[in-house]
Amino acid sequence: MATAELPHGDSAGTFLGHPKGLFVLFFAEMWERFSYYGMRALLIFYLTQHWLFSDSQAGVIYGAYTALVYITPVLGGYLADKYLGQRKAVTYGAVLLTFGHFLMGFEGSGGQDPAALNIFWLALAFIIVGSGFLKANISVIVGQLYPRTDVRRDGAYTIFYMGINLGAAIGSILCGYLGQTYGWAYGFGAAGFGMLLGLVVFTVFKPLLLGRGEPPKALAKGTEWGLYAVGVLAVGVCWWLVQNQSVVGTLLGLCGAVLVAYVLFTAVVKLEPHDRDRIFAAMFLILGSILFWALFEQAGSSLNLYTDRHVDRTIFGFDVPASVFQSVNAIYIVLLAPLFAGLWTWLGRKGLEPSAPAKFGLALMQLGFGFLVLVAGAATGNLTPVLFIFLIYLFHTTGELCLSPVGLSAMNRLAPAHMASLIMGTWFFASATGNFAAGLIAAATGSEAASGEGAGKEVVLGVYSQIGWIAIAVGVGVLVVSPLIKKLMHLDTLKDDEPAEEAYPAAARPAE
């Protein structure tokens, strides 16, 4: 088998025009997202109804937890780039995640029982660190299956994003229903089994990855196990951090400043001009995504609680548990992602496809409009008609499809190969910042701060109206400057990474 074929994945054949390895990653990520979003659908209710935290406390805890989930990919991406390779990092992350999800099944007696709470914090810590090793690196392997100039890349990431959301939809429905109907342990236990399936898929079908994501150089067993020990140490650190949410905010600020400074310093000092400009463009997209995620991630916290308390959830005579509505966004993505992938391809062939920065501006505008639609719907009566929950998720989903898969593809395309995981990790770090800000916004909507249920509803809607208009205004601004950012991307001079042995030395090695 000639190694020159490997960068294109042709030696293992294709399926639906894409390397078969893409679909291994699709199903592995699908089960990982099943577990993550199944747990996420229940988390805000678990915090408020089982552990008896107030709305504001629960919002901040939720924000700190989701922020840490997006911070740790910086560590996981760095260790994968330098030592482990993406495949080993993903496998280790899946093991930690499986353990963490099963630990969530130990619920104790509820309330503020210290012993049971410590197990809960430990479960969250395992999930946080496991996500750090898995999230950025599995996305990088997707990019490694394609040359940098391959026109299939955006489509590939959109297909991959469908896997993410297929898992999220099934997980939210099944785990949410089991957890709110039969008991928390049933919902969290189902999430654990889903993660175990993801680990099995990724391990069994490893050969279809064609050596992508292997360690950049020979890795001694002692070094490898030492890196795994770093992961266990990180679990201990996250166990403490998730209980001290204010420290997470400070950490985000300090680490964010250092990370941005390091990336920009590397771009200015070590990269040739066009690669440097591409990093600048990537950083603009990364910073622009922070506002998007700060508002979008109300879904799992304040919007989840709003749906539970202020929405008529009766559908065809059935009172649908609020957590099940966490699946709506994911279902929309499964249905709409192929349409968006086809739309970008069709517009691209005609030379009319919006640039990545322009898509980001459109995403923010749709996000803001979704909030304003919900506010308008809430004015129709005491309980908000469930139609408006479907509408806010529709606009947020179309916005997400203009930003998230496009952003994943842009990070991998704009970053030089030796910085790929670092830039992808920085992308997820921006998501971390947005998620922490989302927790603060959710805390501001806490209805217990107002007198009575009706007043609490008005507090939430007031916040939603304000952030809706802010998102639209910023989106218009991003659209205005998008031509300048597109110039910095230098798409006309973008070249593929070197194929063959220099770029993929591990591809020629026999499978372990």
Side-chain angles (χ1 to χ4, degrees), residues 137-219:
N137 291 308
I138 198 168
S139 298
V140 169
I141 299 175
V142 173
Q144 290 176 344
L145 293 172
Y146 300 86
R148 290 174 80 185
T149 56
D150 196 321
V151 295
R152 299 175 297 171
R153 289 174 68 94
D154 277 11
Y157 274 104
T158 302
I159 291 171
F160 180 68
Y161 213 62
M162 283 180 63
I164 291 175
N165 288 279
L166 183 61
I170 299 171
S172 297
I173 293 171
L174 182 61
C175 300
Y177 178 78
L178 290 175
Q180 287 201 289
T181 306
Y182 295 102
W184 306 112
Y186 290 95
F188 293 132
F193 280 109
M195 188 61 248
L196 185 60
L197 280 172
L199 175 60
V200 169
V201 168
F202 188 76
T203 303
V204 170
F205 293 99
K206 182 189 77 170
L208 291 179
L209 299 179
L210 298 171
R212 301 300 190 271
E214 294 301 322
K217 56 186 176 182
L219 186 64

Side-chain angles (χ1 to χ4, degrees), residues 212-512:
R212 301 300 190 271
E214 294 301 322
K217 56 186 176 182
L219 186 64
K221 284 295 180 184
T223 302
E224 183 176 348
W225 284 100
L227 294 171
Y228 296 151
V230 170
V232 174
L233 179 63
V235 170
V237 173
C238 290
W239 171 83
W240 183 81
L241 284 173
V242 78
Q243 299 175 66
N244 295 273
Q245 301 88 32
S246 61
V247 179
V248 176
T250 303
L251 183 69
L252 276 168
L254 294 176
C255 292
V258 171
L259 183 61
V260 169
Y262 175 73
V263 171
L264 293 179
F265 173 79
T266 302
V268 171
V269 174
K270 297 184 178 181
L271 299 181
E272 57 90 15
H274 280 195
D275 274 342
R276 177 200 64 208
D277 288 350
R278 292 187 188 106
I279 294 297
F280 290 162
M283 293 304 293
F284 175 85
L285 299 179
I286 286 168
L287 294 174
S289 72
I290 293 175
L291 175 63
F292 183 90
W293 296 121
L295 306 186
F296 180 89
E297 284 297 334
Q298 295 307 303
S301 52
S302 68
L303 185 56
N304 212 2
L305 289 173
Y306 182 90
T307 304
D308 186 53
R309 296 167 179 170
H310 306 300
V311 173
D312 180 2
R313 293 178 280 103
T314 303
I315 301 178
F316 301 122
F318 294 97
D319 185 32
V320 181
S323 59
V324 172
F325 286 92
Q326 290 294 291
S327 67
V328 175
N329 164 250
I331 292 170
Y332 277 148
I333 286 187
V334 172
L335 296 175
L336 296 176
L339 299 180
F340 271 74
L343 175 65
W344 301 144
T345 302
W346 181 73
L347 289 173
R349 287 172 180 163
K350 295 182 174 295
L352 299 174
E353 182 182 7
S355 65
K359 291 175 183 175
F360 272 50
L362 294 171
L364 285 165
M365 293 171 67
Q366 291 167 86
L367 183 72
F369 190 66
F371 281 113
L372 298 183
V373 165
L374 178 63
V375 172
T380 61
N382 185 38
L383 286 178
T384 304
V386 73
L387 168 66
F388 291 94
I389 294 298
F390 285 99
L391 285 175
I392 186 175
Y393 279 122
L394 176 62
F395 286 110
H396 285 194
T397 300
T398 55
E400 185 182 5
L401 284 168
C402 287
L403 182 138
S404 194
V406 173
L408 285 172
S409 178
M411 295 307 107
N412 208 276
R413 171 179 285 181
L414 295 175
H418 66 280
M419 293 179 68
S421 285
L422 175 64
I423 295 301
M424 193 67 76
T426 307
W427 167 260
F428 286 120
F429 189 91
S431 299
T433 306
N435 274 267
F436 187 78
L440 299 180
I441 294 171
T445 68
S447 60
E448 75 276 3
S451 56
E453 183 175 316
K457 178 182 176 183
E458 291 307 313
V459 170
V460 177
L461 295 175
V463 172
Y464 282 2
S465 178
Q466 184 177 6
I467 62 180
W469 287 112
I470 289 172
I472 290 175
V474 175
V476 171
V478 172
L479 274 178
V480 170
V481 302
S482 62
L484 174 61
I485 305 304
K486 182 182 178 182
K487 287 183 179 179
L488 290 175
M489 296 169 74
H490 297 293
L491 298 178
D492 54 331
T493 61
L494 197 63
K495 295 180 180 179
D496 295 332
D497 297 324
E498 287 296 319
E501 292 82 359
E502 301 85 42
Y504 292 101
R509 293 200 295 267
E512 296 176 5

